[in-house]
Amino acid sequence: MAKKLNATLPNPLEFRLNDPNFTIYHRAALGGLAATISAWRRNPPQGITTEVQSDYIKLHWGDDVTNEQAFRRILEASFSLNDIGLIDLPGQRVDADRDDLRLVAHEGILNSFLQSKDARKVESENRIIPLRSPDDEGDSLRQLKYRGIAKYFHQHADQQLKLTQQEDGLITAAIEQWIIPGAVKGAVSLNASISEAFLLLYLMPGCCVFTLRPRRYSKRKQDIQRKKFRYCLVVPDVTDLKKYSAAIAFISAKLPKANQAISTSQVTYLDRVVGGAEEAALRFLIDLEAQEEVVNVRPCVAGCLAVTMGKVAWDTQQTNRSAIVIVKQDYPEIEVFKAAKKHRNSKFIKVKKGENLAEVISPIPEMVAANLAAQRHWCSNFKKLIETKNEFKQMLSDMKGGLNEMHKAIKDEEDKAVIAVFQEAWNRTMGQLGGVATRKGSSFDTSLDK
């Protein structure tokens, strides 16, 4: 009979941000661990002492706590569920009554980290949660369906890690897809030490998951009704653990209306539904930047990875990493994207059986973000979005006022000059049409429409 291996942590447990063996996934996980420890200040795990510096984390416990007990207590304080079956990650600092933000994170996590049946136990019946949209008036509420869960891997990782004893006696743990989404083993499993596997569990609270519903899909309505969605895992390249923890604490919190400097940047369910991976990454970086300004700190990340999770030809059973994009902290025309972002770009729609789902309104933010990330001109491919008269009218309707705000945000002098020339030509054309209509007694609107 094979000997059962125990997953125990070394005491003390120490990590350094500048470890040369660490990847961006490790640094994001360190950010998640730091944010989780920060959330413990009022109720830390019994017997566990922690230390968090800008580039260093340490956890340790006394002789009265076994290593197995320490592992169990740390997990219990890090990964939980609320009373309506939603994943609750203390490290993401979502307030108790912010179920809108908790729900969109829950949906994203179930379709990225925990999509495998081996990683979670999903309830058999749908639940319904009422949410208020910014567009709703009076007592109107949106009814959103979701599946709650009874448990998930991270809660019991000390018992569920797949362990192997190497020839040198070292016990290693398998790094599964539910620890790093998209991780695929080859002839042998991806293995790491127990302490590294423990750290990577915190990739989940260290990242942000967005729902992708590209406006440009030719069968968008059918895709929405069939719930054929993709998801984006935004993996931050954390450079300062303490500052990252502070910024994360502000993003998800319910903030006082009187504090306009903060409350105007509060994130909602609809803010996590976007068109593309690059847009998701830039939105997260800008959200962080806004909170950094509030708490008066310098940037705590150096860009991020935007990992698209979707169906691929060689595996139709689950979502896999279908694309990975590197997104920087800043771009010369980032203010154009910020102007487009201010224009609310998603809304709730009703689908079959009265269910509500969120969809993206305009492809503009997605286009600008993709262009910036690819080092193209920010408005490349804009013409393809307005090739027909109906598309042009829809663009004006969807981005009413938004295009003008984007125009004001442009920094490039050549772009400004080109726009000024076209605007002058347009004004003269309108003047000529008006003159003809006056002389002939015809309709100016009819001439303009033609």
Side-chain angles (χ1 to χ4, degrees):
M1 183 175 180
K3 178 183 176 182
K4 179 175 174 57
L5 301 175
N6 294 321
T8 61
L9 298 174
N11 183 18
L13 187 59
E14 300 175 278
F15 301 102
R16 292 194 177 275
L17 191 61
N18 59 0
D19 188 318
N21 296 316
F22 280 180
T23 66
I24 187 173
Y25 291 99
H26 294 86
R27 292 189 289 274
L30 269 174
L33 177 56
T36 300
I37 292 173
S38 177
W40 290 346
R41 289 175 181 172
R42 294 181 180 177
N43 188 26
Q46 183 182 356
I48 308 298
T49 303
T50 62
E51 178 185 353
V52 178
Q53 300 297 333
S54 295
D55 62 348
Y56 173 75
I57 290 179
K58 179 180 179 180
L59 299 93
H60 60 100
W61 45 95
D63 294 338
D64 57 330
V65 179
T66 67
N67 289 9
E68 290 86 352
Q69 288 174 330
F71 201 168
R72 175 97 300 274
R73 292 175 186 180
I74 292 170
L75 292 178
E76 288 175 350
S78 303
F79 305 100
S80 57
L81 293 165
N82 71 358
D83 57 2
I84 56 173
L86 293 176
I87 296 168
D88 188 15
L89 302 175
Q92 294 196 342
R93 307 297 287 273
V94 180
D95 279 0
D97 56 353
R98 289 299 312 278
D99 282 338
D100 63 325
L101 203 53
R102 189 173 286 102
L103 174 59
V104 74
H106 175 91
E107 293 171 337
I109 289 171
L110 284 185
N111 286 280
S112 53
F113 285 95
L114 303 178
Q115 60 176 298
S116 172
K117 293 180 180 179
D118 295 331
R120 77 289 192 276
K121 182 178 181 182
V122 180
E123 296 174 348
S124 59
E125 300 292 333
N126 283 325
R127 292 186 184 232
I128 295 179
I129 187 170
L131 292 183
R132 186 176 301 280
S133 165
D135 303 321
D136 292 336
E137 297 180 358
D139 296 328
S140 176
L141 293 173
R142 305 287 176 165
Q143 303 294 321
L144 301 185
K145 288 184 180 180
Y146 71 97
R147 286 287 179 93
I149 60 175
K151 63 179 181 178
Y152 58 101
F153 176 86
H154 295 59
Q155 293 179 296
H156 309 282
D158 56 327
Q159 300 297 320
Q160 294 185 293
L161 284 170
K162 295 182 180 178
L163 305 179
T164 303
Q165 188 165 9
Q166 306 299 328
E167 293 181 357
D168 59 2
L170 177 68
I171 297 177
T172 60
I175 304 303
E176 307 282 359
Q177 193 278 149
W178 42 86
I179 297 178
I180 300 180
V184 179
K185 64 181 179 180
V188 295
S189 298
L190 301 173
N191 288 291
S193 66
I194 298 294
S195 59
E196 184 180 353
F198 165 82
L199 171 62
L200 289 172
L201 293 173
Y202 290 85
L203 183 63
M204 184 191 290
C207 296
C208 186
V209 185
F210 286 75
T211 303
L212 300 185
R213 296 180 187 172
R215 181 73 181 187
R216 61 172 177 260
Y217 273 0
S218 59
K219 297 180 179 180
R220 195 180 83 263
K221 181 170 288 189
Q222 294 95 315
D223 285 340
I224 288 176
Q225 291 180 341
R226 296 171 186 169
K227 297 187 179 180
K228 290 186 177 180
F229 307 136
R230 294 183 298 160
Y231 296 85
C232 177
L233 182 68
V234 179
V235 186
D237 193 356
V238 178
T239 58
D240 190 303
L241 300 174
K242 293 185 73 173
K243 292 175 181 177
Y244 185 73
S245 299
I248 288 296
F250 278 94
I251 285 181
S252 305
K254 182 180 180 181
L255 302 162
K257 294 182 179 180
N259 194 337
Q260 293 300 316
I262 301 177
S263 61
T264 52
S265 59
Q266 187 176 5
V267 177
T268 67
Y269 182 103
L270 291 175
D271 291 319
R272 292 288 184 251
V273 180
V274 299
E278 298 89 348
E279 180 187 356
L282 282 181
R283 280 178 176 268
F284 181 67
L285 290 173
I286 290 170
D287 287 340
L288 277 181
E289 178 187 338
Q291 310 314 324
E292 289 164 352
E293 292 174 357
V294 170
V295 296
N296 194 28
V297 299
R298 290 176 296 178
C300 56
V301 300
C304 60
L305 283 184
V307 182
T308 301
M309 303 293 297
K311 294 292 177 64
V312 293
W314 46 268
D315 186 354
T316 59
Q317 299 303 312
Q318 62 178 358
T319 58
N320 291 272
R321 286 186 295 196
S322 54
I324 297 179
V325 182
I326 298 175
V327 181
K328 298 190 301 182
Q329 179 74 20
D330 196 16
Y331 294 93
E333 292 290 2
I334 189 65
E335 295 301 324
V336 176
F337 176 77
K338 288 181 180 180
K341 173 184 177 293
K342 291 178 182 178
H343 191 81
R344 179 159 293 280
N345 194 42
S346 55
K347 65 180 180 180
F348 286 113
I349 61 170
K350 284 188 177 181
V351 292
K352 57 183 180 181
K353 298 181 181 179
E355 184 180 356
N356 288 277
L357 291 174
E359 75 157 351
V360 170
I361 300 171
S362 170
I364 290 293
E366 176 189 357
M367 178 202 74
V368 175
N371 286 332
L372 294 180
Q375 304 292 328
R376 296 189 295 262
H377 192 282
W378 65 268
C379 68
S380 294
N381 301 314
F382 178 76
K383 184 179 178 181
K384 294 181 180 179
L385 303 179
I386 51 171
E387 290 181 331
T388 68
K389 183 177 179 180
N390 286 338
E391 288 175 338
F392 180 70
K393 287 185 175 181
Q394 189 65 46
M395 176 68 68
L396 295 180
S397 174
D398 292 341
M399 289 295 291
K400 187 176 182 180
L403 294 175
N404 190 44
E405 291 301 314
M406 292 167 63
H407 161 226
K408 293 177 182 178
I410 296 171
K411 292 182 179 179
D412 187 89
E413 294 300 327
E414 289 188 6
D415 282 357
K416 291 180 179 179
V418 169
I419 292 173
V421 169
F422 274 99
Q423 186 65 53
E424 179 62 22
W426 176 257
N427 291 339
R428 294 190 181 193
T429 301
M430 293 302 97
Q432 292 173 355
L433 287 176
V436 170
T438 299
R439 291 194 300 272
K440 295 184 175 181
S442 58
S443 168
F444 172 78
D445 291 336
T446 300
S447 300
L448 179 60
D449 191 49
K450 291 180 180 180

